[in-house]
Amino acid sequence: MDKVRTRFLGYRLYRIKFIKIVGFVFLITTIVFLGVLAFLFNTWMNDLRQQAQDVFMERERRLANIRVWALDYTNGMYEDAKLMEDAAALFSARNMEEYIQARRNNSLNSRQQIGYLPGNIKKLLFWDSRKQITGVSLSSHAGVKAIWQELGDVRLQFGITDVESSMAFHEAGDMLVASYPVRNTEHMDQTLGKLSFWADSREIYECGAVPAQWALWDAQGRVLRDGGLAQEGGRFLSQLAEKEGQSGWLFPGEGMPVFFILQVSGESGYSFLVFKDVGAVLADNKHTVSVIVFAFVLVAMGVLACYYGGIRSDAAFLAMIMDMLSAMEGGNFARMQSLALPASARHRENEYGMIAAALKDVGMKLKGYIETEYILKLKEQESQMRALQHQINPHFLYNTLEMLRSKALVHEDRDMAEAIAMLGALYRARMRKKDTITLKEEFAFLEMYLKIMALRFGDNFVYQAELEEGIGEIPTVNFWLQPLAENFFAHGFGQESEYNLLTVNGYAREGGGEILIIDNGCGAAPSKLAGIRRNMREGNDQAEGDIGLRNVYMRLAYFYGDGFRMDVGNNAEGGFRVSIFIPGRVEDVHTDDRGR
């Protein structure tokens, strides 16, 4: 089983569930946010509509006042005979020369000072800023004249083709406010012409109180104030023409949607448009939108955090169950026993708690079963070994070895005699010793075996076996170093190699000792190392494996318990390496199972 993953997103079950809840929370939050934003937009647009209506009504009252002033001025002209004479001269003149000649004639025929209509208009209309009249045009059969003020002086222009052309003079104004006929005082049934009053649309409709763009056009469709309307494109104007209501949304095609309020003057026919796009609305209310976004994000994060806490708690419980399974699979029942179930009643009473409790109970029963089976197997092997020992007459073997040693000495073959002597000593030691010995004694037996192998192979084999002081009295099982050395002669020893080296060293470490068995053989293929380790820890318990790594690992693991570690691998310089750590103290030693 793979290593247990503690992060809950590592489990596909919880990962999919968490992704779904994140998507659901995001969807609901987005829908509610858009609903709130739509409500706020409706509120903001209602406020804008009300502001635009207030501004429009105030401008309508202002235009009505201007019309009243214009009418009062027109009626007041009839009270001044000299002014009417000058007005008649101006209406009938086609150019400045005719007007000057008419004024000269009026002056010769009158003993009083003659009137001057442009000056009177300047005094009574232009100089009074409340009236906001910026120009006056006179139209008659003799043509159109325009009167306006420029740099404090009154200007008079002849030769204008029509009344609307007077707008070409910027100071005269671009907005026709009112037009009244002027009659001949001597013949009231005759009309001298028409007197038209002009104003500047910017001064009239400038709506700084409305936070939006605005535009103005007259009844003939001439745009007086663009206000950025042309930038929206022709599609904007065409959509506006198709709209029947006074307000609504327009979609120009390029850019953001635009909200508009259109109001038409009932008397003058001027159209007043206020419009504002979505981007401008959001920019004006960015603080409100930011607070709402922050609030929704905070709520969404709170919901996800609550769900995250619950699902993480469940995942932690599942991770513990997976950890139990991993410990059972690796045979590490001590670790499984150390795992404690969470104290949360919510988990202990649900399916997770039932599974974990049952799994832990099964694991403990399995541990007891495996230990019982292993002890029975060891006892069976021990019985077989003792039965074999009883079948051999030790004295016969000792006498035979001594006879062979004597013959070797007679023939002066000292190496053979020494080998026979060490073999006899090794056999006597193994037969007399119990199953549990000290680490120092186990090293001594190993050195006897290595001396015999050195005599066998001569200069072709060199060994080193050293044990540091302080760990020699550590208890251990009998006969486990020699099988590891035999593995070297079986798999790592090179018959054709001139130099075969085997080192077995014991070092004192914190809490125990470390045994390193290193050779300079060919080592193991990298592709097979994982299999060697797996077979060492999880391989079968067949009898032919007693002298192998599996047998040594199982005997030491059972003897030392959790503190024991054993690993195998290749050296960087070449050869094979076995590393074993044994605890300095052995607790809960079953003396009956170890021959004491």
Side-chain angles (χ1 to χ4, degrees):
M1 182 177 293
D2 295 337
K3 184 179 179 180
V4 176
R5 295 167 290 189
T6 56
R7 295 183 59 185
F8 81 95
L9 289 179
Y11 298 107
R12 184 173 180 271
L13 170 67
Y14 292 114
R15 183 170 62 251
I16 294 176
K17 185 182 294 186
F18 188 72
I19 291 174
K20 287 182 178 179
I21 195 64
V22 169
F24 178 76
V25 171
F26 175 78
L27 178 62
I28 295 299
T29 303
T30 302
I31 292 175
V32 176
F33 172 74
L34 292 178
V36 172
L37 196 61
F39 172 78
L40 291 177
F41 258 97
N42 184 61
T43 302
W44 293 331
M45 295 305 99
N46 287 336
D47 293 342
L48 181 63
R49 184 186 296 108
Q50 186 61 47
Q51 293 174 3
Q53 289 176 353
D54 293 343
V55 169
F56 179 74
M57 295 304 297
E58 195 278 330
R59 270 47 175 187
E60 283 291 283
R61 288 191 294 270
R62 185 180 300 177
L63 287 175
N65 292 334
I66 295 175
R67 294 189 190 97
V68 171
W69 289 327
L71 181 59
D72 290 344
Y73 179 80
T74 303
N75 293 333
M77 290 174 56
Y78 296 108
E79 299 176 0
D80 190 340
K82 298 300 181 182
L83 185 62
M84 286 300 297
E85 288 181 358
D86 190 72
L90 186 56
F91 272 112
S92 60
R94 297 182 181 276
N95 50 51
M96 183 63 75
E97 289 76 10
E98 291 184 4
Y99 177 53
I100 294 174
Q101 183 62 40
R103 282 180 56 80
R104 183 181 295 112
N105 294 335
N106 290 337
S107 177
L108 294 175
N109 296 329
S110 176
R111 296 180 179 180
Q112 300 178 359
Q113 184 178 358
I114 63 175
Y116 182 50
L117 182 60
N120 186 264
I121 290 175
K122 172 184 176 182
K123 178 180 178 181
L124 298 182
L125 296 180
F126 295 163
W127 282 7
D128 190 347
S129 60
R130 297 175 303 165
K131 298 178 180 179
Q132 294 184 301
I133 295 176
T134 57
V136 177
S137 61
L138 297 86
S139 58
S140 65
H141 65 280
V144 180
K145 301 88 179 177
I147 302 173
W148 74 95
Q149 181 177 249
E150 183 177 342
L151 299 177
D153 295 331
V154 66
R155 302 293 183 182
L156 175 60
Q157 180 68 36
F158 288 82
I160 301 174
T161 57
D162 51 38
V163 175
E164 286 74 14
S165 298
S166 61
M167 290 189 298
F169 305 98
H170 301 292
E171 299 296 333
D174 58 355
M175 184 176 183
L176 180 60
V177 179
S179 295
Y180 300 107
V182 179
R183 298 186 179 277
N184 191 337
T185 55
E186 296 179 357
H187 304 281
M188 294 301 293
D189 57 338
Q190 296 180 1
T191 302
L192 296 178
K194 183 184 293 185
L195 196 62
S196 300
F197 298 87
W198 297 83
D200 188 350
S201 61
R202 181 175 296 277
E203 293 182 4
I204 299 297
Y205 279 94
E206 184 64 44
C207 49
V210 179
Q213 295 174 282
W214 65 279
L216 182 71
W217 59 87
D218 59 17
Q220 287 72 36
R222 287 187 292 267
V223 177
L224 304 181
R225 294 296 172 184
D226 179 84
L229 187 63
Q231 299 177 2
E232 303 294 340
R235 186 175 179 182
F236 184 98
L237 295 175
S238 62
Q239 289 186 8
L240 187 62
E242 296 173 359
K243 288 288 183 179
E244 296 181 357
Q246 293 184 344
S247 63
W249 289 94
L250 296 177
F251 302 92
E254 296 182 1
M256 298 184 178
V258 176
F259 184 79
F260 75 93
I261 302 103
L262 178 63
Q263 300 177 91
V264 181
S265 175
E267 295 186 13
S268 60
Y270 287 99
S271 298
F272 177 60
L273 175 69
V274 175
F275 59 98
K276 193 171 188 178
D277 61 33
V278 172
V281 175
L282 293 177
D284 290 346
N285 299 276
K286 58 184 178 181
H287 297 296
T288 302
V289 175
S290 299
V291 171
I292 294 174
V293 170
F294 178 77
F296 273 94
V297 170
L298 198 63
V299 171
M301 294 300 293
V303 173
L304 290 178
C306 293
Y307 186 79
Y308 177 88
I311 199 173
R312 184 177 178 85
S313 178
D314 290 344
F317 205 101
L318 180 60
M320 191 199 67
I321 295 176
M322 298 292 290
D323 204 3
M324 285 184 178
L325 292 174
S326 179
M328 288 178 61
E329 189 177 38
N332 193 351
F333 294 99
R335 180 169 179 269
M336 190 196 71
Q337 187 177 8
S338 65
L339 294 174
L341 297 178
S344 173
R346 181 173 71 88
H347 288 116
R348 295 180 67 88
E349 296 175 359
N350 63 13
E351 289 78 3
Y352 281 125
M354 296 171 61
I355 293 173
L359 184 62
K360 191 168 186 178
D361 184 57
V362 169
M364 298 311 300
K365 290 181 179 179
L366 182 61
K367 176 178 180 292
Y369 173 77
I370 292 175
E371 288 181 349
T372 301
E373 288 295 314
Y374 185 71
I375 291 173
L376 291 175
K377 192 173 187 68
L378 288 179
K379 286 185 175 293
E380 181 182 357
Q381 292 177 353
E382 182 181 351
S383 299
Q384 292 175 355
M385 180 63 70
R386 288 177 179 175
L388 181 61
Q389 290 174 352
H390 288 304
Q391 292 176 3
I392 301 175
N393 188 337
H395 296 287
F396 171 75
L397 182 59
Y398 297 154
N399 293 336
T400 301
L401 290 175
E402 185 62 28
M403 179 190 67
L404 294 175
R405 178 175 174 275
S406 299
K407 285 185 175 292
L409 290 174
V410 170
H411 290 84
E412 297 183 354
D413 190 347
R414 295 187 177 278
D415 291 341
M416 179 64 71
E418 185 178 357
I420 294 172
M422 284 188 291
L423 179 60
L426 179 61
Y427 181 72
R428 287 188 183 91
R430 289 295 187 191
M431 293 296 292
R432 293 174 182 175
K433 287 295 181 181
K434 299 179 181 180
D435 290 341
T436 302
I437 61 176
T438 64
L439 189 59
K440 181 178 180 181
E441 291 174 320
E442 180 66 13
F443 260 77
F445 295 153
L446 174 66
E447 192 164 5
M448 291 182 187
Y449 170 75
L450 294 178
K451 285 181 179 179
I452 295 173
M453 301 306 291
L455 290 173
R456 174 185 174 186
F457 294 108
D459 295 337
N460 200 21
F461 170 64
V462 178
Y463 73 90
Q464 175 185 340
E466 295 182 356
L467 181 66
E468 286 187 355
E469 296 182 0
I471 61 173
E473 299 302 320
I474 294 178
T476 188
V477 296
N478 190 7
F479 193 66
W480 63 272
L481 281 176
Q482 183 176 328
L484 297 180
E486 290 174 355
N487 275 347
F488 163 68
F489 292 103
H491 304 290
F493 189 86
Q495 296 288 347
E496 299 179 357
S497 176
E498 297 180 355
Y499 181 72
N500 291 280
L501 173 65
L502 176 66
T503 63
V504 183
N505 296 318
Y507 303 98
R509 297 287 186 260
E510 182 179 357
E514 183 181 17
I515 312 301
L516 294 179
I517 304 171
I518 302 174
D519 63 56
N520 67 340
C522 58
S527 59
K528 296 182 179 180
L529 273 178
I532 293 175
R533 293 190 181 100
R534 182 172 59 254
N535 291 333
M536 179 183 71
R537 295 184 175 92
E538 305 173 7
N540 59 56
D541 293 326
Q542 300 299 324
E544 59 268 18
D546 287 349
I547 61 173
L549 292 174
R550 171 65 177 169
N551 179 268
V552 173
Y553 177 84
M554 290 297 295
R555 292 180 66 203
L556 294 179
Y558 180 70
F559 185 83
Y560 291 109
D562 294 338
F564 163 75
R565 295 192 303 272
M566 180 174 177
D567 193 20
V568 297
N570 289 326
N571 288 319
E573 300 82 3
F576 198 68
R577 172 191 181 98
V578 180
S579 173
I580 301 172
F581 177 82
I582 57 177
R585 298 181 60 186
V586 181
E587 299 180 358
D588 192 23
V589 177
H590 303 286
T591 55
D592 292 341
D593 298 336
R594 295 184 173 92
R596 288 193 176 184

